[in-house]
Amino acid sequence: MRCTGSHRGALRWRMVAALALLCACAARGEPAATDYAALSLEQLLQVEVRLVSRKGETVRASPSAVYVLDSDAIRRSGATSIPELLRLVPGVEVARFGSGKWAVTIRGFNGIFTNRLLILVDGRSAFSQAKVGMFWDTLDTLIEDIERIEVVRGPGAALWGGNAFNGVINIVTRHASDTVGGLATIGAGNEDKWFTGLRYGARAGATGFVRGYIKAFERDDGSRLVGGENKDGWHAVQGGLRYDRGDDDSGALTVILDAYQGEEGEALVLDDVNAAGFTFVNEIIIPYSGVSALARWSWRSSERSSWSLQAYVDHSEREDSLLDIKIDAYDLDLQHDWRVSPRQRLVWGLGYRYIEDELPAQYLSFDPVRRRYGIASGFAQYEFSPRPERLRLIAGAKAEHNDFTGTELQPNARVIWTPHAATSLWAAVSRAHRVPSRTEHDSTAGFDIVDLGGGFLLQAQIRGNRGFDAERLTAYEAGWRRRFSPALALDLALFYNDFSGLRVLAQGPVEPGPNPPPHLILPIVAVNGADARSWGGEMVIKARPLSQWQLELAYNHIQLKVDSDISGDPTIDQAEGDSPLHRATLRSLWDLPGGTEFNATLRYVDEIPVKDIDAYTQLDLVLARRFGELELSLVGQNLLDRNQREYTDSLVFTPRAEVERAYYFRLRLRF
């Protein structure tokens, strides 16, 4: 089934109506936001992040492998989606295998279900056990509204809980006071067929600011390795409001509302349950939608004490070829930051998340179809500075109770030494766990019917396992940051990860099947049957050869060794070679005279032999020119090859798709 003209027409009319509604609330004036392009390397190291300690902390003072993709880099990237932005972050592995499908990971174990990586949006979790991982096509906002993307490589479970396993990504949108006035954007190209967005912000009372936005796009089908279109075109519309009032001293209130609706094509190679040995390509349209609301109140109770209370509700629906999903999530989080003394600090918090989901039978069937479950948690992190500005010791833990594996304790300890202003060294040891998904506990799926002869048919059947426990990780990390001059800085991080209880799909004894055929069933169940070790590192070099020219070189290396007594599971058998050994990115941002910018990103990705993917190099170019408040951009992506295959999943079989060379133009107007 493909998208009909009436469906697309209705989507566009909704977009036009929303644009008109936004235009009706116009006001003027815009205060200046942070100009990251004008910051020196020293100032960039002072940009604050909240992921490492859940309080404001500079990049240089963070005892973790942290990176911030700032708003200037986002604006100049040419990316039209969040996964494409993440390609610019050192240590984040992004592989595209469809119009709206990406495999994203940090430090190994890549796959289409991002279940070992925690994604946050303005501090709230986008993860759910029902979703199996992350649907990247639903994670969207107006690109121009993203203030920064904070990324911590390595576990962050001591603060953020289960599934902050290999890393944490936090997408931070801009404060409403930074977006007063109007912004309109429109573009078109061969892959991004068309896209448009409108934002307007205004004052709301003496200390309040409000903004609204609407965006919509349509993306073309990808291409298949064997030729032809992949039938996975993608279009969506999304809008939202944000209200900010006050400040931390007098009390700051933030309210964020978002809603989205989209349709994406999908092609899956499935086994024909009525004909042994035959497969077919199932081409469908996947509709998805969601609405969410977040409210956060933060205040200072004294000069040494500050509080934050956040509530979040979310409703999402998706009709997929593998599973249909309806989820309602409710989240409440309280945090207290207490400066005990000039050398001591304590951050603690409590949280509770309640989820109701409904997963009606599709290719996967679930028992029970509806399930309610909660996650209660508490954390505390203590920081002691025996020599302020020189030596800091940090220790903490998060206790979390979930309805899948019970209570989990996730501690960590960190130290950072700053012998002088230009150098810092840090080390950390952490424990983390990954909570099983509903698929691993409650699902059943039949595939691979084999004719045994004599009229007997055998079908393999993947089953969930209520006894499947959490996967566990002990991580050891160390890093060195050095600013050699005002124009040259280095950030180096090394890691060693020890995994235990990783998921393996193990075969059980053959069972009699139902009537009518198949007559025999071969059960395959999820068990904690593998251990693994990984080691490697990431290096980032930032340089400013000229005041108008920025360079960044990033290199990543990882090796993975898996030990398992159970074979036959492709997700484990191929895990050692699932990520490229070497990846490197060179990024250049060059300001030319007359308001012209020329930006280039060169990426090298090593081969992935187990997936029959060759090493490749790709180039993205962006040429932009400003004419007052109008900006015109020409963007070329994947310019060195007409088609490039980046990924093939071992668990869900999709036709082998390639990433195509793309180009588009874009107009941005501020008013």
Side-chain angles (χ1 to χ4, degrees), residues 10 16 28 72 77 124 162-163 247 331 351 380 385 404 415 428 473 644:
V16 171
R28 295 299 302 266
D72 184 65
S77 67
R124 59 92 177 168
N163 299 92
D247 54 39
D331 190 278
S385 303
F404 291 82
V415 57
L473 163 65
Q644 174 63 54

Side-chain angles (χ1 to χ4, degrees), residues 242-290:
R242 174 165 178 157
Y243 173 74
D244 290 291
R245 188 190 71 192
D247 54 39
D248 287 341
D249 292 328
S250 60
L253 174 66
T254 296
V255 178
I256 302 175
L257 307 174
D258 284 295
Y260 61 85
Q261 180 179 351
E263 291 180 339
E264 178 185 354
E266 182 172 74
L268 285 179
V269 180
L270 302 177
D271 294 286
D272 191 339
V273 296
N274 298 312
F278 287 89
T279 62
F280 66 97
V281 177
N282 188 30
E283 297 178 355
I284 66 168
I285 290 294
I286 298 173
Y288 61 87
S289 61

Side-chain angles (χ1 to χ4, degrees), residues 76 546 548-550 588-592 596-599:
R76 301 172 70 148
L546 302 171
Q548 66 271 26
W549 186 23
Q550 305 175 54
S588 169
L589 305 178
W590 190 10
D591 295 324
L592 299 173
T596 301
E597 298 173 348
F598 181 64
N599 311 312

Side-chain angles (χ1 to χ4, degrees), residues 320-393:
D320 210 312
S321 57
L322 291 178
L323 70 165
D324 290 351
I325 301 176
K326 293 182 180 179
I327 303 175
D328 290 294
Y330 309 86
D331 190 278
L332 187 64
D333 185 86
L334 173 69
Q335 179 177 309
H336 182 209
D337 182 358
W338 179 28
R339 176 70 72 175
V340 182
S341 72
R343 295 187 179 187
Q344 299 179 80
R345 191 167 193 167
L346 177 67
V347 181
W348 65 272
L350 301 171
Y352 185 74
R353 192 174 198 197
Y354 176 76
I355 299 172
E356 297 182 1
D357 67 40
E358 181 179 350
L359 308 175
Q362 189 60 281
Y363 192 73
L364 291 173
S365 59
F366 288 82
D367 182 20
V369 173
R370 296 180 179 87
R371 186 167 177 177
R372 300 184 176 115
Y373 43 96
I375 302 173
S377 63
F379 81 91
Q381 180 165 280
Y382 172 74
E383 177 182 320
F384 175 57
S385 303
R387 295 186 61 190
E389 307 300 327
R390 287 291 181 264
L391 180 63
R392 294 165 55 223
L393 307 174

Side-chain angles (χ1 to χ4, degrees), residues 447-448 462 504-507 524 564-574 650-651 653:
F447 68 103
D448 279 356
I462 295 181
V504 178
L505 298 178
Q507 296 182 8
I524 300 175
S564 175
D565 295 330
I566 302 172
S567 61
D569 179 1
T571 62
I572 287 296
D573 292 344
Q574 298 183 12
S650 305
L651 190 60
F653 299 102

Side-chain angles (χ1 to χ4, degrees), residues 133-147:
M134 188 71 220
F135 292 121
W136 289 99
D137 51 5
T138 65
L139 185 68
D140 198 12
T141 190
L142 194 67
I143 295 294
E144 290 80 4
D145 279 353
I146 300 176
E147 172 68 18

Side-chain angles (χ1 to χ4, degrees), residues 31-76:
T34 303
D35 184 6
Y36 289 97
L39 297 183
S40 65
L41 293 182
E42 167 65 17
Q43 291 170 318
L44 287 173
L45 291 174
Q46 298 300 324
V47 173
E48 285 196 347
V49 295
R50 297 188 61 86
L51 279 184
V52 180
S53 60
R54 293 189 73 145
K55 60 181 178 61
E57 186 171 71
T58 66
V59 172
R60 186 176 64 185
S62 297
S64 185
V66 62
Y67 184 91
V68 176
L69 189 69
D70 59 59
S71 59
D72 184 65
I74 292 170
R75 179 185 62 82
R76 301 172 70 148

Side-chain angles (χ1 to χ4, degrees), residues 21-180:
L21 182 62
L22 268 179
C23 289
C25 348
R28 295 299 302 266
E30 179 172 359
T34 303
D35 184 6
Y36 289 97
L39 297 183
S40 65
L41 293 182
E42 167 65 17
Q43 291 170 318
L44 287 173
L45 291 174
Q46 298 300 324
V47 173
E48 285 196 347
V49 295
R50 297 188 61 86
L51 279 184
V52 180
S53 60
R54 293 189 73 145
K55 60 181 178 61
E57 186 171 71
T58 66
V59 172
R60 186 176 64 185
S62 297
S64 185
V66 62
Y67 184 91
V68 176
L69 189 69
D70 59 59
S71 59
D72 184 65
I74 292 170
R75 179 185 62 82
R76 301 172 70 148
S77 67
T80 56
S81 66
I82 289 174
E84 296 300 313
L85 284 174
L86 293 176
R87 288 189 190 272
L88 304 178
V89 179
V92 179
E93 181 185 343
V94 179
R96 192 169 195 162
F97 60 100
S99 179
K101 288 183 169 55
W102 292 267
V104 181
T105 191
I106 293 176
R107 296 180 176 176
F109 293 106
N110 207 2
I112 65 171
F113 302 125
T114 307
N115 57 7
R116 294 181 175 95
L117 187 63
L118 182 63
I119 312 299
L120 305 170
V121 181
D122 289 316
R124 59 92 177 168
S125 173
F127 181 83
S128 168
Q129 272 69 38
K131 290 182 179 179
V132 192
M134 188 71 220
F135 292 121
W136 289 99
D137 51 5
T138 65
L139 185 68
D140 198 12
T141 190
L142 194 67
I143 295 294
E144 290 80 4
D145 279 353
I146 300 176
E147 172 68 18
R148 64 188 184 276
I149 298 178
E150 306 171 352
V151 178
V152 169
R153 307 184 299 274
L159 292 175
W160 302 101
N163 299 92
F165 201 66
N166 282 356
V168 188
I169 296 173
N170 186 24
I171 299 156
V172 182
T173 60
R174 301 175 70 183
H175 194 279
S177 64
D178 294 331
T179 54
V180 174

